[in-house]
Amino acid sequence: MNIFKLNYKYIASIAICSIFISFLYNYISPKGINIFPQKSILESEIEKPGGNKKNKINIVTVEIAKKLFDENSAVFIDARDPWEFSEGHIFNAVNIPEFSFSPYMPIVKSLDKNAAYTIYCSSSDCELSRRLASRLKDSGFTNLVVFSDGWESWLNARYPIFRK
């Protein structure tokens, strides 16, 4: 018997197991690649600027976000993790991490539900801002926009930031 003879069934089973484990890891990982894009649960709640439906949350560009910042007409809320926030954020932004959001958090309870808020996270690939906006809206906040391009575009535009 030749020990170097290839056992194709054994090789195929190892390859299939490897592919399965790779897909499983990618699915579980928070930074996994979205291989099969699917419509976000929140897409039905998000609308481009100019929409007139009450249940919609407007999405704004970096230029509009900067205008809101310059006019001091909205409080900026960073939906990222506290460690990301501490590394740098939009100047005067407050941190409400989406993963630990509760309407009973002291910071949330201290906010005026009728004031204007601009919610952002890392980039346009980040869903945290949209999820947090939806959760805030469900908690009774009425004037919310999502700055979808987020921290990266703000930083690239060299707009005011806070950094340690």
Side-chain angles (χ1 to χ4, degrees), residues 72-151:
N72 202 23
S73 59
V75 174
F76 281 71
I77 297 175
D78 190 321
R80 299 175 300 157
D81 294 338
W83 64 269
E84 289 178 293
F85 179 80
S86 70
E87 289 178 353
H89 55 268
I90 293 175
F91 190 75
N92 284 337
V94 296
N95 184 221
I96 302 177
E98 188 278 331
F99 78 92
S100 64
F101 173 81
S102 165
Y104 307 108
M105 294 171 73
I107 185 75
V108 176
K109 289 172 70 173
S110 71
L111 298 174
D112 177 2
K113 291 187 176 189
N114 296 313
Y117 299 98
T118 301
I119 303 156
Y120 73 95
C121 56
S122 330
S123 66
S124 58
D125 294 337
C126 178
E127 288 287 321
L128 297 176
S129 56
R130 290 172 175 86
R131 290 196 307 248
L132 181 60
S134 180
R135 295 175 82 179
L136 286 167
K137 187 160 241 355
D138 291 345
S139 298
F141 287 80
T142 59
N143 192 0
L144 305 170
V145 297
V146 170
F147 167 34
S148 65
D149 294 333
W151 169 245

Side-chain angles (χ1 to χ4, degrees), residues 13-114:
S13 65
I14 289 175
I16 290 170
C17 286
S18 298
I19 292 169
F20 175 76
I21 290 170
S22 300
F23 276 102
L24 181 64
Y25 178 78
N26 186 60
Y27 178 75
I28 293 171
S29 173
K31 294 190 178 198
I33 300 168
N34 190 3
I35 297 170
F36 306 107
Q38 51 185 233
K39 190 172 184 178
S40 168
I41 296 170
L42 298 176
E43 272 184 21
S44 61
E45 298 176 13
I46 304 292
E47 184 176 84
K48 298 288 182 197
N52 57 5
K53 294 187 179 175
K54 278 189 164 183
N55 65 340
K56 301 290 183 177
I57 299 170
N58 289 331
I59 296 175
V60 297
T61 62
V62 68
E63 293 82 14
I64 302 289
K66 178 65 162 75
K67 183 177 179 191
L68 294 169
F69 179 87
D70 288 342
E71 294 172 353
N72 202 23
S73 59
V75 174
F76 281 71
I77 297 175
D78 190 321
R80 299 175 300 157
D81 294 338
W83 64 269
E84 289 178 293
F85 179 80
S86 70
E87 289 178 353
H89 55 268
I90 293 175
F91 190 75
N92 284 337
V94 296
N95 184 221
I96 302 177
E98 188 278 331
F99 78 92
S100 64
F101 173 81
S102 165
Y104 307 108
M105 294 171 73
I107 185 75
V108 176
K109 289 172 70 173
S110 71
L111 298 174
D112 177 2
K113 291 187 176 189
N114 296 313

Side-chain angles (χ1 to χ4, degrees), residues 143-164:
N143 192 0
L144 305 170
V145 297
V146 170
F147 167 34
S148 65
D149 294 333
W151 169 245
E152 289 177 8
S153 68
W154 189 271
L155 193 59
N156 290 338
R158 299 181 181 267
Y159 292 152
I161 63 167
F162 176 83
R163 192 175 256 172
K164 289 198 248 183

